[in-house]
């Protein structure tokens, strides 16, 4: 059976991040992709120039129209720009009891542009985190969620993942890419086990949409794999391959996208 995977996120006209990247990633993993739009974002590889938020009521309408008709096997949640949209999504997750929910708490774009209003962080933490099966924050996002200083040492990552778990989160994939070094180290705190996941760092400026791609791949793979650890490991391997092949693409003048179909295109 082909699995149906839903992304709830904002757009990216350049195709490297947001809903566009999620749908490519779902297809690359043999799943059927669907989308609910939360924001129309004017962005490219060089930055974000404007955000047009979709009214929360229309986000609800999109979700109910879809979910009353179509089976959903996994969900990836990305950009939710304000508290009203966060509340709308949280309510529908509760209403429909959707499985395999991956939340990427998107707060700041690669360019440094803020995508989540600071006053909405509390709503994200209190309303949505407890309804996710896995969250995938990077270190700045984790610090924002916890109201703490950003950590600067890999050794501190398990403790911070545990603090996030205490917010009511089922599982945490804490991404350590901001720490630098020859390896990219993430920590998975899931189902009673803590695991360091290491991948060789890829030297490229084409890293636009890496967070979107990793979380989307994890959702798609969890719909097809027996457990979260397997899904996360395979998603990281996929992202590394997409980064290594990113130089094949010629998209934009800034941080270019990763190659979502690196193992499928000639």
């Amino acid at each position: 059976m082909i699995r149906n995977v839903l992304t709830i996120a904002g757009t990216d006209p350049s195709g490297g991040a947001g809903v566009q990247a999620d749908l490519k990633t779902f297809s690359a993993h043999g799943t059927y992709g669907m989308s609910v739009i939360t924001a129309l974002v004017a962005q490219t590889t060089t930055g974000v120039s404007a955000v047009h938020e979709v009214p929360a009521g229309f986000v609800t309408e999109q979700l109910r129209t879809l979910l009353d008709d179509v089976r959903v096997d996994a969900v990836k949640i990305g950009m939710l720009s304000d508290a009203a949209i966060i509340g709308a999504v949280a309510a529908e997750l509760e209403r429909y009891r959707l499985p395999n929910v991956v939340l990427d708490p998107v707060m700041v774009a690669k360019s440094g542009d803020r995508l989540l209003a600071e006053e909405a962080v509390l709503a994200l933490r209190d309303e949505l985190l407890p309804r996710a099966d896995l969250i995938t924050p990077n270190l700045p996002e984790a610090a924002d969620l916890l109201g703490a200083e950003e950590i600067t040492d890999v050794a501190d990552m398990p403790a911070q993942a545990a603090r996030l778990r205490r917010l009511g989160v089922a599982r945490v994939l804490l991404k350590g890419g901001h720490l630098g070094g020859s390896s990219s180290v993430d920590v998975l705190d899931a189902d009673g086990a803590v695991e360091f996941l290491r991948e060789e760092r890829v030297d490229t400026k084409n890293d636009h949409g890496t967070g979107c791609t990793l979380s989307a791949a994890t959702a798609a793979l969890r719909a097809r794999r027996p457990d979260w650890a397997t899904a996360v490991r395979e998603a990281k391997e996929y992202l590394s391959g997409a980064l290594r092949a990113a130089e094949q693409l010629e998209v934009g003048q800034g941080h270019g996208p990763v190659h979502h179909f690196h193992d499928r295109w000639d």
Side-chain angles (χ1 to χ4, degrees):
M1 179 174 63
I2 295 174
R3 303 297 181 179
N4 300 330
V5 185
L6 169 65
T7 173
I8 305 171
T11 63
D12 175 8
S14 75
V19 164
Q20 287 88 336
D22 294 343
L23 292 174
K24 292 175 189 176
T25 303
F26 295 163
S27 293
H29 288 90
T31 60
Y32 181 81
M34 305 171 292
S35 63
V36 164
I37 307 300
T38 60
L40 304 175
V41 185
Q43 71 171 314
T44 64
T45 64
T46 59
V48 176
S49 62
V51 175
H52 179 74
E53 295 172 353
V54 173
F58 191 68
V59 172
T60 297
E61 187 68 20
Q62 292 179 77
L63 283 165
R64 290 187 180 179
T65 300
L66 173 68
L67 298 174
D68 283 343
D69 179 46
V70 181
R71 184 195 77 250
V72 173
D73 299 303
V75 183
K76 176 265 170 84
I77 302 173
M79 178 185 174
L80 307 174
S81 56
D82 67 19
I85 295 173
I86 290 168
V89 172
E92 299 317 302
L93 290 180
E94 185 71 18
R95 176 187 176 96
Y96 289 93
R97 301 289 181 174
L98 297 177
N100 300 321
V101 176
V102 178
L103 171 62
D104 181 15
V106 177
M107 297 181 180
V108 179
K110 185 74 66 179
S111 58
D113 299 285
R114 190 161 189 93
L115 298 175
L116 176 69
E118 292 186 25
E119 60 270 19
V121 174
L122 187 62
L124 183 73
R125 187 177 67 195
D126 294 347
E127 297 182 44
L128 209 51
L129 262 63
R131 292 179 169 85
D133 293 297
L134 174 75
I135 66 169
T136 63
N138 58 32
L139 297 182
E141 290 163 348
D144 221 352
L145 288 169
L146 292 167
E149 292 292 319
E150 184 178 337
I151 62 174
T152 58
D153 194 315
V154 169
D156 295 327
M157 291 178 66
Q160 188 157 74
R163 288 187 63 191
L164 289 165
R165 288 279 311 279
R166 288 195 289 273
L167 294 177
V169 178
R171 301 166 189 84
V172 177
L173 175 64
L174 183 59
K175 301 179 295 190
H178 285 73
L179 293 177
S182 60
S183 296
S184 177
V185 182
D186 299 341
V187 167
L188 177 64
D189 184 334
D191 304 312
V194 177
E195 182 178 357
F196 284 90
L197 303 171
R198 301 177 186 270
E199 289 282 336
E200 183 179 351
R201 188 177 298 276
V202 180
D203 184 17
T204 178
K205 71 169 187 174
N206 295 326
D207 55 1
H208 180 53
T210 51
C212 300
T213 299
L214 179 63
S215 55
T218 300
L221 284 161
R222 183 61 186 91
R224 302 184 62 190
R225 299 294 184 264
D227 56 67
W228 285 101
T230 302
V232 168
R233 291 188 205 106
E234 291 188 30
K236 277 184 62 69
E237 292 172 5
Y238 165 77
L239 178 59
S240 292
L243 280 163
R244 284 191 292 269
E247 301 297 333
Q248 297 175 23
L249 302 174
E250 297 180 16
V251 180
Q253 302 172 54
H255 290 274
V258 303
H259 194 336
H260 295 96
F261 297 108
H262 61 275
D263 56 355
R264 285 167 170 75
W265 290 1
D266 293 333

